[in-house]
Amino acid sequence: MNIRKFADMDRYGSLYAGLMFLAFTIAFGVQFSDIRITTIGVIHSAFFPGVILISLGSLSLIHIALSIWELMKTPRTEQTETKAEDKKDYLCVLSTLIICILYVGTLERLGFVIASAIFIFAQALNLAPKTERKPIKFGIIAIIASVAIYSFFRYVLNLMLPMGLLTGIF
Amino acid sequence: MIENLAIGLNAILNPTSMFVIVLGVVIGIVLGTIPGISVTMTIALFLPVSFTMDPLNGIMLLVGMYIGATSGGLIPSILLNMPGTPANVGTCFDGYPMTKNGQAMKALGIGLVVSFVGTLASVIMMILLSVPLARFALGFGPFEYFAIAMFSLSLLCSLAGKSILIGIATGLFGMIISSVGMAPIDAVTRFNFGTWQLSGGLDVLPVLVGMFALAEIMVNAEKSRKLSKEPAAVIDTKSVKGFGFTGQEFKQQIPNLTRSTGLGLGLGLLPGISATTINLLAYSLAKSSSKYPEKFGTGIMDGVVATESSNSAAIGGAMVPLMTLGIPGDMATAILLGGFMIHGLQPGPLLFVQETALVYGIFVSMAIASFVMLIAQFYGIRLFIKVLKVPRYILLPIIFTMCVVGAFGVNHRIFDTFVVIFFGIIGYFFVKAKLPVGPFIMGFILGPMVETFFRRALMLSQGDYAPFLTRPVSGLFLAGTVIYLVVLTISRYRARAKAKAAASA
Amino acid sequence: MKKLLALLLVAVLVFGLVACGNGTPAATPTPAPATPAPGGEPTPEPPAPAVNWPTRPVTIVVPLAPGGDTDLTARIYARFLTELLGQPFTVINVEGAGGTVGATQVSHGNPDGYTVLWYHTGNLFSNQLTGATDLNHYDFVMSTIGMYCDANILVAYPGLFADAEDFLERARANPGQYNAAVAITGVSGMAMRLLERYGHFETNLVDVGGGGAIAASVMGGHTELGIGNVVQFASHIEAGTLQPLMIASTQRSIVFPDIPTVAELGLGGAEFGRSYFFAFPQNTDPAIAQALSDAVAEIQNNPEYVEIMQETSGMPTFFLPMAEVMDHISERWADIEFMKAYMQ
């Protein structure tokens, strides 16, 4: 079976949406029993979440059923080869996300200035078309922007950002 | 009244004060254009600075920022699909499509003008009617708040798109996400998945930054490597005259403008209902009352008019309870209250009498600030557009770092930046699965309100449900909710029947 | 591209100039003004810290909303600490769950001495009493108590009751009839419950949220009663839109001397005062906490501080050094622990 076909969001998107809602309902449902019931007030704190979870669960099940029914009804239309310009580069999306995650994950350890400089540099290289990747230019911009943003928030607005490795210097 | 206004004007008619007003508005606009920096944060960041100035100038600075930031936030909403502040979320819904249709200047122009109109109108109402308005607002108790919140929640159906079922499910999804953290009333921890960080709950700002800014960056990444040298947005500034729209177009928007401004002022009066809620509500209401609701979301002026006029009118509204009773209308005015108290002033009925020059000076400065905002943003827009000439692959990472600053700055914890990532992924999924973002946000914001007010109301009535219907305002809004849902169901049913008939014909 | 580079360089230049020009307050410590301490002893010099602290800016975390009494008192201290110790003390707000989120965050925070919590026993206790958290004063390295406030006033919608005695009589005769607006897991909730307990009456507690909402609830006619701080209600009492009934304090208010105290009405014991404290994360070097305590002690002698603090809070200044803090808080907790049964 062709796995690739499941990436067709036009066709399966609706189903996946229902599945996502169901997944969240289950995840939250597991946590639901931990809600402590107090005697303060008339309605306790488990009431609303309970109502929402039941409703969301029901709706997602109905939706999943309807989606599957629709999918079985409509035959898969012949996929015309998507033109080269319209092809979406999901690998780039993934790398973009990973770079963002690494940035946020190292923010505290490295400090804002260093982490942001690396992030801007890496992300710019990642997002730029091959012909326009200019590491040196990106590097300089990254450092200047990072320092400028940090200085602005730290000295002008008194907003303390993580200093990380540069603790005590800045 | 006139003498008081004259006293106020006199107090601020000096170079320092004028400079402070301009500075406040400009700084507000600048910070408002940074997605991730909210109005509240802008004011909070300058509270210490305000402390060093004399009371009048100190407070005028903060109020100028309030006005500037609320308006400045429309720029990235329209041009980049990233709300500048949570109060500008709804502007993305039609503003960004207008940019994609090549009508960016029109969107920016009308957004700016209605921001101005909304601000000025609410300031005038505030000056003339603050005492009766405040008294009116005091009469709203938990029953009324619940009914309004419930009515607003039901309006999320109008943002649902094709499938009401998915719209409601998305709304419920937003509601359950918002219940993470400590419950209202009894502070019971809910859904913290074992971590103490989640016990603090999810703030609206990181969630919005993730769903809009990060998701938008990821959408961009799909084609980013192919586009060469394409600027962040294609904007035609040269052929645009004045503010970018015609007098005729403006005239058509007047009913929408009036309704949205009234809504902003009226709901802004009620402490606890912020501009974030109000702009979404105004949008939904505009769509529901429109002759062409299906066009909303494709890029029409109506959407931008509704959101930007209402969030600006909410400013004057929120200032009313603050100035007359010392009760802040929203988070931003709560900080303004702190600004007053740091100077040893207690806003309230006595302040009007004891510090007439100060109070009316602030009122007059707000009116002046509206004009300053209009002019400053007019040129600011052109400046911002120049920034957009920077290639996307450089601009977007830089914007993201500023978003991270904003998310971090909400509560000074790294955890909020992780929240951004999480909701970036969710937001991207929403785009790919064509899920409507509007209902999610409305559920997220209105969910806690509905719960809190419902529970408080029942505490007050000791379990009696009758007051929900017997109290006039509450009964009215609840009836309105039911009527709206019924009408909606009927019209949807009819539309579907018509479509079926057309298909089989 | 070159244009952008130039723009960014200019921006850096501008920010650099601004940073040098303003922003960070004076780096040289200004000695406290020479005021004779009681007893005629010579004024102590600014304390020579036993540790080399602070050498860079310090963050004061306020786990409650900006503009509230905790936030304002923190900012007052921030200003004087900055002047005294020569490093910027910046207040940040980390809100959530009536103070628990911010307090927990600091407790688990970096113990390098550059993050400190400013909080009070009111919410620290009430959140334990409602079972919302286990966080207590042992989860921190407590430094000093910088302020004390016990001016809680019970107010009513004007005209409903002739005076406090009238109220007590009718409240006792009609349990649950009158509604009292409070923040049910906060100080006001606890204060109201204390009044009920010592006054032998029962009202219907209604949660309305924080400070401003309590005044609004009473003035709007939604609840007959409300309880809160003097500062919140002052202008409304003066304007006549709120009627004060009694003050849960050990002495009459300076601002409103006509309001009877609870002790005078036979409800002695219902006073609930809250002590505002500085606390460091677990494992912080106690010498740093001591240094802060000494600095705060020094500030008490500053007449400008005294004036501003009294004006803002409506209470006289108060201070306890590090050595006495833990016992003080433990004693206060022992007094109030019995309320657990009533608050869950």
Side-chain angles (χ1 to χ4, degrees):
Chain A
M1 178 161 59
N2 178 15
I3 298 288
R4 274 283 171 92
K5 75 170 182 183
F6 286 114
D8 181 3
M9 287 303 275
D10 285 331
R11 186 165 158 73
Y12 293 105
S14 187
L15 176 64
Y16 293 155
L19 287 172
M20 179 189 80
F21 289 144
L22 190 62
F24 270 92
T25 308
I26 295 174
F28 275 71
V30 168
Q31 283 281 300
F32 180 76
S33 51
D34 286 342
I35 300 179
R36 186 169 55 95
I37 313 271
T38 63
T39 51
I40 299 175
V42 177
I43 307 257
H44 56 72
S45 292
F47 175 72
F48 266 80
V51 168
I52 297 172
L53 284 175
I54 293 176
S55 314
L56 185 60
S58 319
L59 285 181
S60 39
L61 285 172
I62 296 175
H63 181 73
I64 290 172
L66 286 175
S67 305
I68 294 180
W69 188 54
E70 275 295 313
L71 282 173
M72 300 204 300
K73 266 199 328 186
T74 38
R76 192 157 59 92
T77 48
E78 270 309 308
Q79 292 276 331
T80 48
E81 263 301 307
T82 39
K83 296 180 272 196
E85 307 101 67
D86 288 345
K87 246 210 176 79
K88 299 193 178 154
D89 187 355
Y90 290 113
L91 223 57
C92 185
V93 175
L94 189 62
S95 57
T96 306
L97 180 63
I98 291 178
I99 295 176
C100 287
I101 293 176
L102 288 173
Y103 172 44
V104 160
T106 56
L107 193 56
E108 198 152 38
R109 188 74 61 80
L110 295 177
F112 181 81
V113 181
I114 297 181
S116 304
I118 297 177
F119 170 74
I120 295 174
F121 174 67
Q123 194 67 280
L125 281 179
N126 177 46
L127 290 174
K130 277 210 185 102
T131 52
E132 297 181 32
R133 291 192 180 144
K134 302 185 182 142
I136 300 182
K137 188 160 90 166
F138 291 175
I140 296 176
I141 292 176
I143 295 176
I144 293 181
S146 172
V147 170
I149 294 174
Y150 180 82
S151 311
F152 177 65
F153 282 101
R154 164 85 172 77
Y155 294 112
V156 178
L157 297 182
N158 253 309
L159 179 67
M160 300 290 294
L161 294 163
M163 288 184 284
L165 297 178
L166 291 178
T167 303
I169 302 177
F170 239 121
Chain B
M1 174 63 65
I2 306 286
E3 322 88 64
N4 289 337
L5 288 174
I7 296 174
L9 184 61
N10 193 37
I12 64 176
L13 224 52
N14 60 73
T16 319
S17 297
M18 284 298 158
F19 177 68
V20 163
I21 297 175
V22 172
L23 188 69
V25 172
V26 169
I27 293 178
I29 294 177
V30 170
L31 290 182
T33 52
I34 302 178
I37 311 270
S38 65
V39 181
T40 313
M41 199 181 301
T42 307
I43 301 180
L45 287 173
F46 280 88
L47 201 57
V49 175
S50 155
F51 191 17
T52 62
M53 307 164 101
D54 71 80
L56 180 58
N57 288 333
I59 294 170
M60 288 198 310
L61 180 75
L62 298 177
V63 173
M65 286 179 192
Y66 189 14
I67 293 177
T70 308
S71 180
L74 67 85
I75 299 179
S77 309
I78 290 174
L79 295 177
L80 296 172
N81 202 28
M82 300 182 185
T85 79
N88 305 91
V89 170
T91 312
C92 299
F93 298 165
D94 267 282
Y96 187 59
M98 282 181 82
T99 300
K100 286 201 282 196
N101 296 341
Q103 295 186 309
M105 289 306 286
K106 186 186 282 194
L108 291 167
I110 192 72
L112 175 58
V113 169
V114 299
S115 279
F116 167 72
V117 171
T119 312
L120 193 60
S122 71
V123 167
I124 293 175
M125 291 294 278
M126 173 187 78
I127 294 176
L128 296 176
L129 294 175
S130 49
V131 175
L133 282 176
R135 206 166 292 153
F136 171 71
L138 274 186
F140 280 64
F143 293 98
E144 286 75 29
Y145 274 76
F146 168 74
I148 293 175
M150 201 62 216
F151 178 68
S152 313
L153 195 62
S154 70
L155 280 179
L156 70 74
C157 295
S158 70
L159 300 183
K162 286 213 201 81
S163 163
I164 291 268
L165 188 137
I166 274 291
I168 297 180
T170 314
L172 288 169
F173 179 56
M175 289 172 79
I176 200 70
I177 294 277
S178 72
S179 57
V180 171
M182 300 246 177
I185 318 276
D186 55 13
V188 167
T189 316
R190 301 192 293 199
F191 303 123
N192 69 349
F193 292 89
T195 63
W196 64 266
Q197 284 94 334
L198 277 177
S199 297
L202 298 168
D203 190 275
V204 68
L205 197 122
V207 171
L208 283 186
V209 166
M211 296 226 29
F212 284 86
L214 181 54
E216 186 64 27
I217 292 176
M218 288 168 75
V219 168
N220 256 278
E222 288 172 0
K223 302 238 185 101
S224 180
R225 287 187 187 159
K226 305 239 170 47
L227 308 171
S228 75
K229 278 278 181 189
E230 196 176 290
V234 180
I235 298 171
D236 177 20
T237 34
K238 293 198 187 106
S239 64
V240 166
K241 281 189 242 172
F243 283 101
F245 56 89
T246 65
Q248 177 70 356
E249 286 173 318
F250 185 77
K251 223 185 276 181
Q252 285 172 341
Q253 293 298 326
I254 290 185
N256 182 10
L257 178 61
T258 318
R259 177 187 54 235
S260 306
T261 305
L263 189 76
L265 180 68
L267 290 185
L269 281 180
L270 304 178
I273 302 190
S274 70
T276 314
T277 314
I278 291 173
N279 87 96
L280 288 169
L281 186 53
Y283 184 87
S284 316
L285 212 52
K287 183 173 179 184
S288 311
S289 331
S290 165
K291 294 198 179 69
Y292 38 82
E294 67 286 348
K295 289 211 191 137
F296 275 73
T298 63
I300 56 173
M301 282 170 72
D302 304 50
V304 175
V305 167
T307 57
E308 284 303 318
S309 60
S310 60
N311 67 25
S312 299
I315 296 176
M319 291 291 286
V320 169
L322 175 69
M323 299 299 286
T324 54
L325 298 172
I327 297 169
D330 64 2
M331 275 304 297
T333 38
I335 300 178
L336 278 177
L337 177 63
F340 273 98
M341 299 194 70
I342 279 181
H343 286 110
L345 301 164
Q346 175 72 272
L350 294 176
L351 200 69
F352 276 72
V353 178
Q354 289 168 350
E355 301 273 347
T356 317
L358 178 86
V359 171
Y360 283 89
I362 294 172
F363 285 168
V364 177
S365 76
M366 285 178 77
I368 296 179
S370 323
F371 286 94
V372 173
M373 184 263 292
L374 185 70
I375 301 171
Q377 204 162 309
F378 181 74
Y379 291 107
I381 286 177
R382 278 154 178 75
L383 206 72
F384 193 88
I385 288 176
K386 284 215 171 62
V387 169
L388 290 188
K389 290 218 169 71
V390 173
R392 262 192 179 137
Y393 49 81
I394 295 186
L395 189 65
L396 290 182
I398 294 182
I399 290 182
F400 187 69
T401 54
M402 292 198 278
C403 289
V404 164
V405 173
F408 175 79
V410 172
N411 261 343
H412 292 264
R413 39 184 200 158
I414 290 286
F415 178 72
D416 284 323
T417 58
F418 298 144
V419 173
V420 172
I421 301 281
F422 183 79
F423 282 94
I425 299 173
I426 303 253
Y428 184 66
F429 178 77
F430 264 60
V431 173
K432 302 302 338 168
K434 301 204 181 59
L435 288 171
V437 183
F440 171 78
I441 299 175
M442 287 186 82
F444 182 80
I445 295 176
L446 289 166
M449 290 169 77
V450 168
E451 176 178 13
T452 306
F453 299 138
F454 187 68
R455 293 172 66 176
R456 282 189 186 154
L458 285 178
M459 273 181 103
L460 185 56
S461 66
Q462 302 195 43
D464 184 11
Y465 286 84
F468 281 113
L469 298 173
T470 56
R471 291 176 69 107
V473 178
S474 168
L476 190 73
F477 273 94
L478 287 177
T481 308
V482 173
I483 294 174
Y484 168 73
L485 289 173
V486 167
V487 169
L488 185 74
T489 320
I490 295 179
S491 65
R492 285 251 166 177
Y493 190 68
R494 273 210 203 123
R496 199 173 299 166
K498 214 183 276 180
K500 264 203 193 126
S504 54
Chain C
M1 253 355 274
K2 289 210 183 108
K3 228 190 272 183
L4 177 68
L5 217 61
L7 205 69
L8 281 170
L9 277 168
V10 168
V12 173
L13 235 64
V14 170
F15 297 143
L17 286 171
V18 174
C20 299
N22 101 84
T24 39
T28 43
T30 34
T35 34
E41 294 160 30
T43 313
E45 291 291 301
V51 288
N52 192 17
W53 175 92
T55 57
R56 54 184 169 85
V58 178
T59 307
I60 301 179
V61 174
V62 170
L64 297 162
D69 53 306
T70 317
D71 178 71
L72 291 176
T73 45
R75 291 180 194 274
I76 293 174
Y77 265 113
R79 174 185 152 189
F80 288 96
L81 283 167
T82 304
E83 278 176 24
L84 184 64
L85 295 176
Q87 288 290 336
F89 279 70
T90 323
V91 172
I92 68 171
N93 302 85
V94 181
E95 295 178 63
T100 302
V101 172
T104 311
Q105 190 173 316
V106 174
S107 173
H108 292 242
N110 188 338
D112 60 4
Y114 291 93
T115 308
V116 64
L117 177 73
W118 173 255
Y119 194 27
H120 59 74
T121 54
N123 282 31
L124 184 71
F125 290 165
S126 69
N127 284 318
Q128 289 175 65
L129 293 173
T130 57
T133 181
D134 289 332
L135 194 73
N136 61 29
H137 48 296
Y138 292 99
D139 292 315
F140 300 93
V141 173
M142 302 291 286
S143 170
T144 175
I145 287 181
M147 192 53 199
Y148 178 81
C149 184
D150 70 351
N152 284 317
I153 294 190
L154 180 70
V155 294
Y157 189 81
L160 284 180
F161 307 105
D163 57 18
E165 277 95 1
D166 179 35
F167 159 71
L168 285 171
E169 210 182 291
R170 286 157 65 178
R172 285 169 183 150
N174 304 293
Q177 166 147 353
Y178 298 113
N179 298 307
V182 296
I184 205 147
T185 53
V187 177
S188 47
M190 191 152 58
M192 194 66 212
R193 285 190 165 106
L194 275 172
L195 281 183
E196 284 183 331
R197 192 145 189 300
Y198 282 96
H200 307 291
F201 62 89
E202 212 183 293
T203 59
N204 179 36
L205 261 64
V206 180
D207 182 85
V208 297
I214 295 176
S217 176
V218 181
M219 291 194 293
H222 305 287
T223 56
E224 291 89 350
L225 306 162
I227 188 164
N229 210 281
V230 181
V231 180
Q232 290 159 357
F233 297 150
S235 59
H236 307 297
I237 295 176
E238 273 185 59
T241 45
L242 283 180
Q243 178 185 351
L245 291 177
M246 62 185 83
I247 184 165
S249 170
T250 43
Q251 59 202 32
R252 289 205 172 195
S253 162
I254 320 166
V255 189
F256 297 109
D258 293 331
I259 310 177
T261 67
V262 288
E264 290 167 15
L265 294 163
L267 277 67
E271 302 91 352
F272 178 68
R274 54 186 185 273
S275 313
Y276 294 76
F277 56 83
F278 278 112
F280 285 93
Q282 298 169 22
N283 304 319
T284 307
D285 183 356
I288 295 180
Q290 183 64 54
L292 180 61
S293 177
D294 294 337
V296 172
E298 183 59 33
I299 289 175
Q300 305 302 311
N301 297 327
N302 183 335
E304 203 186 343
Y305 159 77
V306 171
E307 189 190 328
I308 292 182
M309 185 57 97
Q310 287 188 165
E311 231 186 84
T312 309
S313 64
M315 294 279 306
T317 57
F318 182 81
F319 161 75
L320 275 184
M322 185 168 166
E324 300 173 35
V325 171
M326 292 300 278
D327 286 338
H328 170 90
I329 296 186
S330 297
E331 277 164 33
R332 288 266 115 81
W333 173 246
D335 284 338
I336 203 98
E337 200 173 354
F338 73 94
M339 289 297 289
K340 228 186 217 180
Y342 300 89
M343 294 186 64
Q344 302 211 2

